Amino acid sequence: MRALTWQGRHDVRVETVPDPEIVNPHDAILRVTSTAICGSDLHLYDGYIPGMRAGDILGHEFMGEVIETGPESTLKKGQRVVVPFPIACGECFFCRKQQFSCCDNTNPAETSDATEFQYGYPMAGVFGYSHLTGGYAGGQAEYVRVPFSNVGPIVVPDHLEDDKVLFLSDILPTGWMAAENCEIEEGDTVAVWGCGPVGLFAIQSALLMGAHRVIAIDHYRSRLALAKQLGAEILDYREVDVREALAEMTGGIGPDAVIDAVGLEAHGISIDNILDQAKSMTFMVTDRIHVFREAVLAVRKGGRVSVPGVYGGFADKFPVGAFMEKGLTMRTGQTHVHRYLKPLLEHIEQGRIDTTFLISHHAPLEQAAEMYRNWHDDQDQFTKIVLKTEMAAPKSGQKEQQHELA
Ligand SMILES: NC(=O)c1ccc[n+]([C@@H]2O[C@H](COP(=O)([O-])OP(=O)(O)OC[C@H]3O[C@@H](n4cnc5c(N)ncnc54)[C@H](O)[C@@H]3O)[C@@H](O)[C@H]2O)c1
Ligand SMILES: [Zn+2]
Ligand SMILES: [Zn+2]
């Protein structure tokens, strides 16, 4: 089959690789129909996540048709399913608590040791996300093996096209959980850093959960335009001092809740970010936490901090004093996707959540390497890329929408 493989930093290629096979009784094999590139893939592309090996197949946002099932799979051939990015057994201590991304049974001992050393406990398996999380082949491919297919995948109705349901695999539940973690109360103002797909879905979710105001921060005009279109007030961090602006917009009190939907690759030329960049080059820190710091300092006293943005290692100048003295609460984590599949599918079916507004490009799988490059180099134009396995490869990716700042 054809699949997008990681070869090294800024080097991914579509290659012919062996087809996946049923390995365990609860496995299923999917013929992938749609798969997306995620902000988390960018961390792999940029070489920030250790544990990658040349030839690894990427992709943790995918859906497709079931073509083969093991004897213990509950799926049937021909069903269309969307698959959550964390792999969960459904039966361990954590899965029983609905903390699916903390599953204890899906990352084999030989690959989980590194995370146990780094985090104190081993992490769960994730599709296409390094040998720290199991080394599972991902879904940016024609076919993919889905372990624990009796637990994760959700069968989607035929009348909902792929683009409407694909993001149930990750970014939609991630944005939703980010907003849920804000414990939004009536009248609340929520500030969201990052208007990438995760930030945009967090904005949509926060408004749906009753946030009175959402303030969105980024610097890409097209992404800020999408945030505005959703109903957010917007701030371009190149044009204003973000903390001052937020204080002013909230009568000097600060936002009630803040969402860091940026993670470890914060941009910007603030002094702390430049220091982080310099230190990361000499391995004194691994993560650039500028946005996290800014969010913790900007949130009101007694406020809530929600962190869907991915962090992987160690950071400098964690504002622990502000965190404690202001009496903040923080909630974070890889998304417990399985928990949200049914309710979010219902929101999509009822038309309460639109999932297609952020797709900027469709492209054939054959062009995946070019799409990674485009998306890395030009996030202003490329908001979200969906790869289609059945699309014939034209000369360049189709551009569908141009988002102008209204
Ligand atoms: N927790 C989870 O389960 C989970 C799931 C999916 C993605 N993620 C993570 O969420 C984060 C966002 O994902 P995405 O797909 O939206 O990524 P993305 O790269 O498309 O978007 C990140 C956005 O942050 C903006 N940004 C950078 N520096 C900023 C700053 N100083 N202030 C404000 N905005 C800034 C960028 O301009 C960009 O628009 C990533 O870290 C990703 O790994 C987490
Ligand atoms: Zn993702
Ligand atoms: Zn489990």
Side-chain angles (χ1 to χ4, degrees), residues 12-48:
V12 292
R13 299 175 209 162
V14 178
E15 295 190 322
T16 301
V17 300
D19 286 356
E21 290 174 2
I22 299 279
V23 177
N24 288 312
H26 41 60
D27 286 352
I29 306 286
L30 298 194
R31 181 180 65 78
V32 175
T33 51
S34 296
T35 173
I37 306 177
C38 175
S40 301
D41 292 325
L42 204 59
H43 305 323
L44 301 173
Y45 189 70
D46 286 338
Y48 284 102

mmCIF file of all heavy atoms in Angstrom, residues 12-48:
data_model
loop_
_atom_site.group_PDB
_atom_site.id
_atom_site.type_symbol
_atom_site.label_atom_id
_atom_site.label_comp_id
_atom_site.label_asym_id
_atom_site.label_seq_id
_atom_site.Cartn_x
_atom_site.Cartn_y
_atom_site.Cartn_z
ATOM 1 N N VAL A 12 9.447 13.868 5.087
ATOM 2 C CA VAL A 12 8.415 12.822 5.057
ATOM 3 C C VAL A 12 8.195 12.444 3.592
ATOM 4 O O VAL A 12 8.347 13.283 2.709
ATOM 5 C CB VAL A 12 7.082 13.290 5.708
ATOM 6 C CG1 VAL A 12 7.236 13.489 7.202
ATOM 7 C CG2 VAL A 12 6.561 14.582 5.068
ATOM 8 N N ARG A 13 7.861 11.184 3.334
ATOM 9 C CA ARG A 13 7.707 10.723 1.945
ATOM 10 C C ARG A 13 6.567 9.725 1.841
ATOM 11 O O ARG A 13 6.372 8.919 2.755
ATOM 12 C CB ARG A 13 8.982 9.995 1.482
ATOM 13 C CG ARG A 13 10.209 10.863 1.500
ATOM 14 C CD ARG A 13 11.440 10.029 1.155
ATOM 15 N NE ARG A 13 12.604 10.618 1.808
ATOM 16 C CZ ARG A 13 13.748 9.993 2.013
ATOM 17 N NH1 ARG A 13 13.918 8.754 1.614
ATOM 18 N NH2 ARG A 13 14.751 10.618 2.626
ATOM 19 N N VAL A 14 5.880 9.765 0.722
ATOM 20 C CA VAL A 14 4.872 8.729 0.446
ATOM 21 C C VAL A 14 5.600 7.572 -0.223
ATOM 22 O O VAL A 14 6.282 7.750 -1.239
ATOM 23 C CB VAL A 14 3.745 9.275 -0.454
ATOM 24 C CG1 VAL A 14 2.742 8.168 -0.768
ATOM 25 C CG2 VAL A 14 3.050 10.448 0.219
ATOM 26 N N GLU A 15 5.482 6.401 0.395
ATOM 27 C CA GLU A 15 6.214 5.232 -0.101
ATOM 28 C C GLU A 15 5.298 4.016 -0.182
ATOM 29 O O GLU A 15 4.214 4.009 0.381
ATOM 30 C CB GLU A 15 7.357 4.904 0.861
ATOM 31 C CG GLU A 15 8.414 5.990 0.908
ATOM 32 C CD GLU A 15 9.649 5.548 1.660
ATOM 33 O OE1 GLU A 15 9.503 4.838 2.665
ATOM 34 O OE2 GLU A 15 10.757 5.931 1.221
ATOM 35 N N THR A 16 5.781 2.994 -0.859
ATOM 36 C CA THR A 16 5.056 1.725 -0.867
ATOM 37 C C THR A 16 5.580 0.885 0.291
ATOM 38 O O THR A 16 6.801 0.698 0.433
ATOM 39 C CB THR A 16 5.270 0.990 -2.206
ATOM 40 O OG1 THR A 16 4.800 1.857 -3.249
ATOM 41 C CG2 THR A 16 4.492 -0.315 -2.239
ATOM 42 N N VAL A 17 4.668 0.454 1.150
ATOM 43 C CA VAL A 17 5.039 -0.306 2.356
ATOM 44 C C VAL A 17 4.139 -1.547 2.439
ATOM 45 O O VAL A 17 3.113 -1.610 1.754
ATOM 46 C CB VAL A 17 4.852 0.560 3.637
ATOM 47 C CG1 VAL A 17 5.719 1.813 3.601
ATOM 48 C CG2 VAL A 17 3.387 0.962 3.813
ATOM 49 N N PRO A 18 4.477 -2.517 3.276
ATOM 50 C CA PRO A 18 3.619 -3.707 3.381
ATOM 51 C C PRO A 18 2.224 -3.361 3.901
ATOM 52 O O PRO A 18 2.067 -2.461 4.731
ATOM 53 C CB PRO A 18 4.361 -4.591 4.398
ATOM 54 C CG PRO A 18 5.753 -4.079 4.423
ATOM 55 C CD PRO A 18 5.692 -2.615 4.104
ATOM 56 N N ASP A 19 1.216 -4.074 3.428
ATOM 57 C CA ASP A 19 -0.153 -3.875 3.920
ATOM 58 C C ASP A 19 -0.240 -4.328 5.379
ATOM 59 O O ASP A 19 0.448 -5.271 5.778
ATOM 60 C CB ASP A 19 -1.138 -4.733 3.111
ATOM 61 C CG ASP A 19 -1.363 -4.148 1.722
ATOM 62 O OD1 ASP A 19 -0.834 -3.068 1.441
ATOM 63 O OD2 ASP A 19 -2.065 -4.807 0.927
ATOM 64 N N PRO A 20 -1.106 -3.671 6.174
ATOM 65 C CA PRO A 20 -1.277 -4.135 7.561
ATOM 66 C C PRO A 20 -2.048 -5.453 7.605
ATOM 67 O O PRO A 20 -2.814 -5.747 6.677
ATOM 68 C CB PRO A 20 -2.092 -3.017 8.202
ATOM 69 C CG PRO A 20 -2.805 -2.359 7.078
ATOM 70 C CD PRO A 20 -1.952 -2.521 5.853
ATOM 71 N N GLU A 21 -1.857 -6.203 8.681
ATOM 72 C CA GLU A 21 -2.571 -7.472 8.846
ATOM 73 C C GLU A 21 -3.182 -7.536 10.236
ATOM 74 O O GLU A 21 -2.723 -6.854 11.150
ATOM 75 C CB GLU A 21 -1.587 -8.642 8.703
ATOM 76 C CG GLU A 21 -1.092 -8.812 7.276
ATOM 77 C CD GLU A 21 0.000 -9.872 7.163
ATOM 78 O OE1 GLU A 21 0.336 -10.495 8.198
ATOM 79 O OE2 GLU A 21 0.502 -10.049 6.041
ATOM 80 N N ILE A 22 -4.186 -8.381 10.385
ATOM 81 C CA ILE A 22 -4.768 -8.627 11.712
ATOM 82 C C ILE A 22 -3.699 -9.320 12.561
ATOM 83 O O ILE A 22 -3.104 -10.311 12.138
ATOM 84 C CB ILE A 22 -6.000 -9.555 11.588
ATOM 85 C CG1 ILE A 22 -7.082 -8.916 10.715
ATOM 86 C CG2 ILE A 22 -6.517 -9.980 12.958
ATOM 87 C CD1 ILE A 22 -7.967 -7.899 11.377
ATOM 88 N N VAL A 23 -3.448 -8.750 13.757
ATOM 89 C CA VAL A 23 -2.439 -9.321 14.647
ATOM 90 C C VAL A 23 -3.097 -9.894 15.896
ATOM 91 O O VAL A 23 -2.738 -10.959 16.378
ATOM 92 C CB VAL A 23 -1.402 -8.237 15.052
ATOM 93 C CG1 VAL A 23 -0.389 -8.794 16.026
ATOM 94 C CG2 VAL A 23 -0.711 -7.664 13.823
ATOM 95 N N ASN A 24 -4.083 -9.147 16.417
ATOM 96 C CA ASN A 24 -4.793 -9.563 17.625
ATOM 97 C C ASN A 24 -6.270 -9.795 17.317
ATOM 98 O O ASN A 24 -6.803 -9.206 16.374
ATOM 99 C CB ASN A 24 -4.669 -8.479 18.712
ATOM 100 C CG ASN A 24 -3.272 -8.429 19.277
ATOM 101 O OD1 ASN A 24 -2.708 -9.458 19.615
ATOM 102 N ND2 ASN A 24 -2.703 -7.235 19.346
ATOM 103 N N PRO A 25 -6.955 -10.608 18.130
ATOM 104 C CA PRO A 25 -8.355 -10.940 17.834
ATOM 105 C C PRO A 25 -9.282 -9.722 17.751
ATOM 106 O O PRO A 25 -10.271 -9.739 17.040
ATOM 107 C CB PRO A 25 -8.771 -11.841 19.004
ATOM 108 C CG PRO A 25 -7.513 -12.293 19.642
ATOM 109 C CD PRO A 25 -6.434 -11.318 19.308
ATOM 110 N N HIS A 26 -8.948 -8.655 18.497
ATOM 111 C CA HIS A 26 -9.858 -7.491 18.483
ATOM 112 C C HIS A 26 -9.472 -6.451 17.436
ATOM 113 O O HIS A 26 -10.015 -5.353 17.411
ATOM 114 C CB HIS A 26 -9.919 -6.855 19.873
ATOM 115 C CG HIS A 26 -8.587 -6.783 20.549
ATOM 116 N ND1 HIS A 26 -7.539 -6.088 20.017
ATOM 117 C CD2 HIS A 26 -8.133 -7.368 21.685
ATOM 118 C CE1 HIS A 26 -6.494 -6.231 20.812
ATOM 119 N NE2 HIS A 26 -6.811 -7.011 21.824
ATOM 120 N N ASP A 27 -8.528 -6.774 16.572
ATOM 121 C CA ASP A 27 -8.116 -5.838 15.510
ATOM 122 C C ASP A 27 -9.164 -5.731 14.411
ATOM 123 O O ASP A 27 -9.950 -6.662 14.195
ATOM 124 C CB ASP A 27 -6.842 -6.347 14.811
ATOM 125 C CG ASP A 27 -5.594 -6.175 15.671
ATOM 126 O OD1 ASP A 27 -5.684 -5.529 16.729
ATOM 127 O OD2 ASP A 27 -4.540 -6.700 15.255
ATOM 128 N N ALA A 28 -9.110 -4.612 13.711
ATOM 129 C CA ALA A 28 -9.830 -4.490 12.431
ATOM 130 C C ALA A 28 -8.884 -3.803 11.456
ATOM 131 O O ALA A 28 -7.960 -3.082 11.869
ATOM 132 C CB ALA A 28 -11.098 -3.663 12.605
ATOM 133 N N ILE A 29 -9.084 -4.026 10.184
ATOM 134 C CA ILE A 29 -8.316 -3.302 9.163
ATOM 135 C C ILE A 29 -9.283 -2.361 8.446
ATOM 136 O O ILE A 29 -10.384 -2.760 8.065
ATOM 137 C CB ILE A 29 -7.695 -4.264 8.113
ATOM 138 C CG1 ILE A 29 -6.862 -5.362 8.774
ATOM 139 C CG2 ILE A 29 -6.886 -3.475 7.076
ATOM 140 C CD1 ILE A 29 -5.525 -4.946 9.325
ATOM 141 N N LEU A 30 -8.867 -1.107 8.307
ATOM 142 C CA LEU A 30 -9.684 -0.122 7.592
ATOM 143 C C LEU A 30 -9.052 0.211 6.258
ATOM 144 O O LEU A 30 -7.827 0.295 6.143
ATOM 145 C CB LEU A 30 -9.756 1.210 8.356
ATOM 146 C CG LEU A 30 -10.353 1.322 9.727
ATOM 147 C CD1 LEU A 30 -10.571 2.792 10.046
ATOM 148 C CD2 LEU A 30 -11.626 0.539 9.819
ATOM 149 N N ARG A 31 -9.908 0.457 5.277
ATOM 150 C CA ARG A 31 -9.467 1.130 4.060
ATOM 151 C C ARG A 31 -9.714 2.612 4.351
ATOM 152 O O ARG A 31 -10.859 3.026 4.544
ATOM 153 C CB ARG A 31 -10.296 0.664 2.864
ATOM 154 C CG ARG A 31 -9.890 1.302 1.551
ATOM 155 C CD ARG A 31 -10.755 0.795 0.410
ATOM 156 N NE ARG A 31 -12.137 1.185 0.535
ATOM 157 C CZ ARG A 31 -12.617 2.409 0.239
ATOM 158 N NH1 ARG A 31 -11.800 3.336 -0.213
ATOM 159 N NH2 ARG A 31 -13.887 2.687 0.393
ATOM 160 N N VAL A 32 -8.641 3.375 4.475
ATOM 161 C CA VAL A 32 -8.776 4.774 4.881
ATOM 162 C C VAL A 32 -9.390 5.570 3.729
ATOM 163 O O VAL A 32 -8.970 5.421 2.576
ATOM 164 C CB VAL A 32 -7.391 5.356 5.256
ATOM 165 C CG1 VAL A 32 -7.487 6.844 5.570
ATOM 166 C CG2 VAL A 32 -6.792 4.591 6.424
ATOM 167 N N THR A 33 -10.386 6.389 4.045
ATOM 168 C CA THR A 33 -10.967 7.242 3.005
ATOM 169 C C THR A 33 -10.510 8.693 3.177
ATOM 170 O O THR A 33 -10.243 9.373 2.196
ATOM 171 C CB THR A 33 -12.509 7.158 3.030
ATOM 172 O OG1 THR A 33 -12.955 7.401 4.376
ATOM 173 C CG2 THR A 33 -12.986 5.789 2.554
ATOM 174 N N SER A 34 -10.413 9.167 4.430
ATOM 175 C CA SER A 34 -9.955 10.536 4.699
ATOM 176 C C SER A 34 -9.032 10.537 5.908
ATOM 177 O O SER A 34 -9.259 9.788 6.866
ATOM 178 C CB SER A 34 -11.133 11.457 5.024
ATOM 179 O OG SER A 34 -11.989 11.579 3.939
ATOM 180 N N THR A 35 -8.032 11.388 5.850
ATOM 181 C CA THR A 35 -7.109 11.517 6.988
ATOM 182 C C THR A 35 -6.581 12.946 6.992
ATOM 183 O O THR A 35 -6.445 13.559 5.933
ATOM 184 C CB THR A 35 -5.968 10.471 6.894
ATOM 185 O OG1 THR A 35 -4.999 10.731 7.912
ATOM 186 C CG2 THR A 35 -5.282 10.477 5.540
ATOM 187 N N ALA A 36 -6.326 13.489 8.179
ATOM 188 C CA ALA A 36 -5.919 14.894 8.248
ATOM 189 C C ALA A 36 -4.537 15.044 8.861
ATOM 190 O O ALA A 36 -4.055 14.148 9.555
ATOM 191 C CB ALA A 36 -6.938 15.679 9.063
ATOM 192 N N ILE A 37 -3.912 16.186 8.565
ATOM 193 C CA ILE A 37 -2.632 16.518 9.193
ATOM 194 C C ILE A 37 -2.942 17.414 10.391
ATOM 195 O O ILE A 37 -3.731 18.343 10.292
ATOM 196 C CB ILE A 37 -1.697 17.255 8.206
ATOM 197 C CG1 ILE A 37 -1.534 16.450 6.908
ATOM 198 C CG2 ILE A 37 -0.338 17.500 8.844
ATOM 199 C CD1 ILE A 37 -0.686 17.146 5.837
ATOM 200 N N CYS A 38 -2.297 17.129 11.526
ATOM 201 C CA CYS A 38 -2.622 17.818 12.786
ATOM 202 C C CYS A 38 -1.443 18.666 13.255
ATOM 203 O O CYS A 38 -0.301 18.420 12.869
ATOM 204 C CB CYS A 38 -2.956 16.759 13.834
ATOM 205 S SG CYS A 38 -3.257 17.392 15.493
ATOM 206 N N GLY A 39 -1.734 19.643 14.105
ATOM 207 C CA GLY A 39 -0.675 20.436 14.734
ATOM 208 C C GLY A 39 0.306 19.552 15.482
ATOM 209 O O GLY A 39 1.504 19.856 15.573
ATOM 210 N N SER A 40 -0.180 18.433 15.995
ATOM 211 C CA SER A 40 0.716 17.508 16.696
ATOM 212 C C SER A 40 1.684 16.860 15.710
ATOM 213 O O SER A 40 2.822 16.550 16.066
ATOM 214 C CB SER A 40 -0.094 16.428 17.412
ATOM 215 O OG SER A 40 -0.970 17.012 18.338
ATOM 216 N N ASP A 41 1.254 16.649 14.460
ATOM 217 C CA ASP A 41 2.166 16.099 13.442
ATOM 218 C C ASP A 41 3.308 17.071 13.158
ATOM 219 O O ASP A 41 4.412 16.668 12.801
ATOM 220 C CB ASP A 41 1.410 15.803 12.138
ATOM 221 C CG ASP A 41 0.421 14.653 12.286
ATOM 222 O OD1 ASP A 41 0.726 13.708 13.031
ATOM 223 O OD2 ASP A 41 -0.650 14.708 11.657
ATOM 224 N N LEU A 42 2.995 18.347 13.309
ATOM 225 C CA LEU A 42 4.024 19.371 13.097
ATOM 226 C C LEU A 42 5.163 19.197 14.105
ATOM 227 O O LEU A 42 6.334 19.395 13.773
ATOM 228 C CB LEU A 42 3.381 20.753 13.261
ATOM 229 C CG LEU A 42 4.050 21.928 12.580
ATOM 230 C CD1 LEU A 42 4.136 21.727 11.074
ATOM 231 C CD2 LEU A 42 3.254 23.204 12.869
ATOM 232 N N HIS A 43 4.820 18.818 15.338
ATOM 233 C CA HIS A 43 5.867 18.603 16.348
ATOM 234 C C HIS A 43 6.779 17.443 15.929
ATOM 235 O O HIS A 43 7.985 17.455 16.201
ATOM 236 C CB HIS A 43 5.267 18.304 17.725
ATOM 237 C CG HIS A 43 4.304 19.351 18.225
ATOM 238 N ND1 HIS A 43 4.474 20.693 18.006
ATOM 239 C CD2 HIS A 43 3.159 19.240 18.954
ATOM 240 C CE1 HIS A 43 3.460 21.361 18.559
ATOM 241 N NE2 HIS A 43 2.652 20.507 19.139
ATOM 242 N N LEU A 44 6.202 16.422 15.251
ATOM 243 C CA LEU A 44 7.017 15.296 14.749
ATOM 244 C C LEU A 44 7.867 15.763 13.576
ATOM 245 O O LEU A 44 9.058 15.456 13.473
ATOM 246 C CB LEU A 44 6.123 14.140 14.274
ATOM 247 C CG LEU A 44 5.164 13.512 15.267
ATOM 248 C CD1 LEU A 44 4.262 12.509 14.556
ATOM 249 C CD2 LEU A 44 5.932 12.808 16.378
ATOM 250 N N TYR A 45 7.222 16.512 12.672
ATOM 251 C CA TYR A 45 7.889 17.014 11.461
ATOM 252 C C TYR A 45 9.079 17.898 11.851
ATOM 253 O O TYR A 45 10.138 17.835 11.244
ATOM 254 C CB TYR A 45 6.854 17.817 10.670
ATOM 255 C CG TYR A 45 7.282 18.237 9.295
ATOM 256 C CD1 TYR A 45 7.442 17.308 8.269
ATOM 257 C CD2 TYR A 45 7.495 19.590 8.989
ATOM 258 C CE1 TYR A 45 7.800 17.703 6.989
ATOM 259 C CE2 TYR A 45 7.850 19.993 7.711
ATOM 260 C CZ TYR A 45 8.002 19.046 6.718
ATOM 261 O OH TYR A 45 8.362 19.443 5.450
ATOM 262 N N ASP A 46 8.880 18.721 12.884
ATOM 263 C CA ASP A 46 9.948 19.624 13.328
ATOM 264 C C ASP A 46 10.966 18.927 14.228
ATOM 265 O O ASP A 46 11.918 19.557 14.696
ATOM 266 C CB ASP A 46 9.344 20.829 14.069
ATOM 267 C CG ASP A 46 8.683 21.812 13.104
ATOM 268 O OD1 ASP A 46 9.040 21.793 11.909
ATOM 269 O OD2 ASP A 46 7.810 22.584 13.544
ATOM 270 N N GLY A 47 10.744 17.657 14.501
ATOM 271 C CA GLY A 47 11.736 16.884 15.257
ATOM 272 C C GLY A 47 11.717 17.111 16.757
ATOM 273 O O GLY A 47 12.713 16.886 17.434
ATOM 274 N N TYR A 48 10.574 17.572 17.306
ATOM 275 C CA TYR A 48 10.530 17.839 18.751
ATOM 276 C C TYR A 48 10.172 16.623 19.594
ATOM 277 O O TYR A 48 10.334 16.627 20.801
ATOM 278 C CB TYR A 48 9.524 18.959 19.066
ATOM 279 C CG TYR A 48 10.053 20.325 18.710
ATOM 280 C CD1 TYR A 48 9.654 20.974 17.559
ATOM 281 C CD2 TYR A 48 10.991 20.952 19.528
ATOM 282 C CE1 TYR A 48 10.155 22.217 17.223
ATOM 283 C CE2 TYR A 48 11.504 22.190 19.203
ATOM 284 C CZ TYR A 48 11.081 22.816 18.042
ATOM 285 O OH TYR A 48 11.587 24.037 17.713
#
